[in-house]
Amino acid sequence: MVVAALLLWLPGLLLAARLLPAPRYDALDRLLAAPALSTAAIALATLWSTTLGIPLDGQLAWLGLGSLLAGGATVLLIPPPVRASERRCVEGYAATTPGMRTGRRPRLPAAARVASSAPWPLAGRPAAGGEARLHGALARARVGVLPLAVVGVLVLGLGARLWSTHDLLPALGADTYHHALIARLIVERRGVPDSYAPYAPIASFAYHFGFHSLVAWLHWWTGADLGTLLPLAGHLVNVAVAASVAWWVRRQVGDDRTALLAAWLTALLCVFPAYFVNWGRFTQATGLLLLPVAAVLWADGLRALAAPSGGARGRPVGPLTAAAMTTAGLFLAHYRMAAMLPLLLAVWALVQAASRMAASGWRLDRPAWPGDVVVGGGVAAMATVLLLLPWLVRLAGALGLGLGEQPGEYGAGYYALERLGTAPWQPANWLVLPLAGAGLALATWRRAAGVLALALWGVVQLALANPYWWPLAVAVVGRVDLITVIATLWFPAAVAAAYGLATLGHAAWRRWPRAAPLAAGTLLAGGTLLGAWQLRALLTPDNTLLTEADLAAMAWVRSHVPSDARFAISTVLVPWAPDYAVGIDGGYWLPLLAGRPTTGLPMLYPGERGTEPRAVAEMVAVARALRDAPGSAATARLLRALGVTYVYHSGRPPAPSIEPALTSPHYQVVYDRDGVRILAVRPAAALTSTPLALDASATEEGIATGWRSASAEESGAP
């Protein structure tokens, strides 16, 4: 665990040493941005190694890390000189940015930073009494306590996550199966795969693979089993999101207390991203890790380009290079999260412009260097496209748009709040949301642009999340669905809540200098305990697909069932999309854990153009037959026609009951242990009765016809 955590941070730290130099960025900035930089670099290295035909393995993975170590050591031992223009950039930023106030005076060259705004100035006037003690404590914290506090928060968050799932197999949610499958494919193919063979009949690969690349590289670096690394990497990415949120606050709000509180709220108290473990949404957590870092890097680079040349102008080559890397990594990690980035940057630019206009009396003045902003931003955007070019070429021929080609073709149930499960009713929401409301009100009063930009972005993103709210079809509406958006809104909520806590805490400390520290310590300790308890309480064990009983059954299958045997498994047809079947128990894992083909497909199959239509038709037909009449002769005939020789059933809800098949002459129970049953489909010749004729429903044409005829009825779509 410790090695994996270090390896998540180390490559990014080495890259940050080169791309995010002092005085604009300090050591804590690099520490907070490191996980996102590592994840992006690993995804891009996997893509380009595959493109260049370089097979990846442990030796090459260590060679890449060694190269980064050598480069990072060079930067640390021979740091680049601090240019006078860069020094003036930090010192003069507030003066050249109307309406913005710096959170503190920079200490050059070690900790100087560019801050866009802050709730209050911490220096510049004499302080006395409790306020003087507060300022002294904050000054000492910036020396070394603050980084230790951030690391402590991350360690607490990781420890609480590991404790909450210590007695669960890494199989909560149906998504976990295809994440494990893709990580296995990357390791076996030694690069990005081009199909899902031999585990599924899908002859294309267009799924985002950033998280899976991280799992594969951790495997090459540590030699640990993929089954162990998958949940560990998921927890590491999940808790590292707190570092990215703190990075946004540090760079856009400009206050370290707010940054620390935002990390604390994200790691321990906010329902999301912790709730993702119930769904196995490791990829969305990876996207959320990259989104704030990419946005801030773009903002830093463009703001430096827009600054006048008389003192505040910097050299944004490093930040813009890092912006291109993290943006490309974001696209490779999660397409929908990547779609949120342009809107966030647009809203940020709008808020920045409004802040400047308000500070200048709402006079319309042209920016000092619009040409440089356009040219520099355009070059960075082109660099992003070039980094992604091999993947974009593949997507042009391999990526389907999913189940709905036009907005609104998903059923209304796809956007229903019920899909959030128990997340809306978690007790921590009643603490975080009021704090977020208070923080947003204070941010509006104080014109804290970094908080307001996030809030406005969340409102716009929410408005575009459900096509059923709109009277007319709009191309962009619904592409990032409501559930994904709501699961992302914790980001602005955590920042606003942290801003409110920091503001109220500062006021309380000034008013009650002796009592406030005790109250703050009590609040933090109580919140930490509540968060640790919540991380366990928010788990939904009913989402467990794979149990110890299933693992025992898999071992039996490997030793007693022929390798070419095909299994029918339990799947459910969701009501919001036509013919979308998802595995719901341990049988879903048979191809990966037992090496036996099944009638099921990985749930991402609708987005792959290489999916065999016959395989989809067979899966849907079997799902309906086992749901409606598992013991009937017609179902047995269908299974024989499809080459199915065994039926796997876990006995756990929501898998439909298999009881009628237990007494049917068409099946024989060959395994029955701890609720898991495996039934052999008896050949027609082995039946004592006259063999039954194959009816039209068991033929390929009959399956496809039945699949199409019932699709509208099953989907619930208008």
Side-chain angles (χ1 to χ4, degrees):
M1 180 186 71
V2 175
V3 174
L6 290 175
L7 290 171
L8 175 60
W9 255 265
L10 184 57
L13 280 172
L14 298 172
L15 287 170
R18 172 61 66 182
L19 299 176
L20 307 178
R24 186 179 294 271
Y25 301 91
D26 64 13
L28 183 55
D29 284 324
R30 301 186 193 101
L31 177 71
L32 296 176
L37 288 170
S38 294
T39 304
I42 287 171
L44 288 169
T46 306
L47 171 64
W48 280 96
S49 295
T50 306
T51 302
L52 298 175
I54 303 173
L56 291 169
D57 55 17
Q59 184 177 0
L60 281 174
W62 277 107
L63 179 62
L65 185 60
S67 301
L68 280 176
L69 282 171
T74 302
V75 174
L76 293 175
L77 294 174
I78 312 174
V82 179
R83 298 173 180 269
S85 61
E86 293 172 337
R87 186 183 297 269
R88 290 194 304 270
C89 172
V90 178
E91 294 174 336
Y93 182 80
T96 57
T97 308
M100 300 296 157
R101 291 177 288 176
T102 56
R104 57 189 173 277
R105 289 180 178 177
R107 295 181 292 108
L108 298 174
R113 301 185 299 111
V114 175
S116 63
S117 64
W120 53 80
L122 297 181
R125 60 184 177 84
E131 190 172 358
R133 288 192 292 272
L134 170 61
H135 288 188
L138 292 171
R140 289 190 298 273
R142 293 186 199 113
V143 175
V145 176
L146 181 66
L148 292 177
V150 171
V151 171
V153 166
L154 297 177
V155 170
L156 281 174
L158 178 60
R161 281 161 171 77
L162 292 171
W163 171 79
S164 68
T165 58
H166 71 277
D167 57 348
L168 295 175
L169 289 174
L172 285 174
D175 292 45
T176 306
Y177 170 66
H178 64 254
H179 295 325
L181 172 59
I182 293 172
R184 172 78 67 83
L185 286 169
I186 291 175
V187 170
E188 291 181 349
R189 306 286 182 84
R190 302 174 68 181
V192 183
D194 56 4
S195 74
Y196 293 82
Y199 302 104
I202 302 176
S204 65
F205 183 85
Y207 194 70
H208 38 69
F209 58 89
F211 170 76
H212 317 91
S213 297
L214 174 63
V215 176
W217 280 68
L218 288 175
H219 166 75
W220 287 321
W221 277 328
T222 66
D225 179 73
L226 289 173
T228 302
L229 286 172
L230 183 74
L232 176 58
H235 284 317
L236 284 171
V237 166
N238 198 291
V239 77
V241 174
S244 295
V245 175
W247 160 269
W248 171 278
V249 174
R250 252 198 139 210
R251 304 299 301 178
Q252 293 298 314
V253 180
D255 182 67
D256 285 336
R257 291 160 296 175
T258 307
L260 178 59
L261 287 169
W264 176 71
L265 287 167
T266 303
L268 289 166
L269 276 173
C270 290
V271 173
F272 289 101
Y275 198 84
F276 285 145
V277 69
N278 289 307
W279 302 335
R281 284 200 180 186
F282 305 131
T283 51
Q284 186 174 352
T286 308
L288 290 169
L289 168 66
L290 286 154
L291 177 64
V293 174
V296 168
L297 287 168
W298 280 106
D300 280 357
L302 296 178
R303 190 162 49 205
L305 288 171
S309 59
R313 193 169 180 77
R315 295 168 58 87
V317 175
L320 287 177
T321 301
M325 285 182 57
T326 51
T327 303
L330 176 60
F331 186 81
L332 296 176
H334 200 279
Y335 298 142
R336 290 175 181 175
M337 290 294 100
M340 291 183 172
L341 178 60
L343 181 60
L344 177 55
L345 291 175
V347 170
W348 170 83
L350 178 64
V351 171
Q352 293 289 315
S355 298
R356 287 184 172 88
M357 291 176 63
S360 62
W362 297 99
R363 294 191 305 270
L364 294 175
D365 53 349
R366 299 180 62 185
W369 294 91
D372 284 358
V373 173
V374 173
V375 172
V379 169
M382 290 178 59
T384 305
V385 173
L386 288 175
L387 287 173
L388 288 171
L389 188 59
W391 191 243
L392 296 176
V393 170
R394 178 187 290 202
L395 292 186
L399 179 64
L401 296 179
L403 295 171
E405 292 293 335
Q406 298 297 327
E409 286 193 5
Y410 291 99
Y414 182 68
Y415 304 94
L417 294 179
E418 288 78 7
R419 290 184 60 213
L420 285 169
T422 61
W425 317 115
Q426 297 299 320
N429 288 330
W430 311 114
L431 174 63
V432 174
L433 293 180
L435 283 173
L440 185 58
L442 288 168
T444 303
W445 177 44
R446 296 171 177 270
R447 293 185 299 178
V451 180
L452 296 177
L454 277 183
L456 180 58
W457 168 70
V459 170
V460 176
Q461 197 71 67
L462 189 63
L464 299 175
N466 190 342
Y468 290 91
W469 292 344
W470 291 64
L472 299 174
V474 181
V476 297
V477 174
R479 290 302 186 184
V480 182
D481 63 279
L482 181 63
I483 306 308
T484 300
V485 170
I486 291 178
T488 308
L489 290 182
W490 64 267
F491 172 25
V495 172
Y499 188 92
L501 268 179
T503 305
L504 296 174
H506 180 265
W509 202 317
R510 293 179 60 186
R511 180 67 177 83
W512 301 287
R514 296 186 183 277
L518 178 61
T522 303
L523 175 64
L524 290 174
T528 300
L529 291 175
L530 173 62
W533 170 82
Q534 175 195 252
L535 288 176
R536 178 68 181 183
L538 61 75
L539 293 178
T540 53
D542 289 345
N543 285 355
T544 301
L545 270 67
L546 193 65
T547 67
E548 294 289 349
D550 291 305
L551 293 181
M554 301 287 175
W556 183 89
V557 168
R558 288 194 300 269
S559 59
H560 291 82
V561 174
S563 59
D564 59 347
R566 190 183 189 196
F567 282 76
I569 63 172
S570 300
T571 54
V572 62
L573 295 168
V574 299
W576 40 260
D579 308 302
Y580 189 17
V582 178
I584 52 177
D585 67 7
Y588 201 30
W589 287 75
L590 276 164
L592 197 58
L593 298 182
R596 304 300 188 270
T598 70
T599 55
L601 294 172
M603 65 178 295
L604 47 74
Y605 71 88
E608 296 284 358
R609 290 184 179 174
T611 303
E612 294 183 11
R614 175 181 171 82
V616 177
E618 292 176 355
M619 176 173 60
V620 173
V622 170
R624 293 198 183 109
L626 292 179
R627 178 195 63 188
D628 299 335
S632 69
T635 298
R637 289 197 299 269
L638 171 65
L639 297 179
R640 295 189 196 101
L642 299 180
V644 172
T645 51
Y646 292 90
V647 176
Y648 188 99
H649 192 269
S650 68
R652 301 187 306 275
S657 174
I658 201 72
E659 294 297 326
L662 300 180
T663 57
S664 171
H666 299 277
Y667 305 95
Q668 179 183 355
V669 178
V670 295
Y671 182 92
D672 188 352
R673 190 179 305 166
D674 298 327
V676 177
R677 293 188 178 103
I678 298 176
L679 286 66
V681 182
R682 300 180 65 189
L687 299 177
T688 56
S689 58
T690 305
L692 301 173
L694 187 68
D695 62 14
S697 66
T699 65
E700 179 178 351
E701 181 179 356
I703 294 170
T705 303
W707 171 39
R708 290 191 296 268
S709 64
S711 62
E713 179 182 328
E714 294 272 2
S715 68

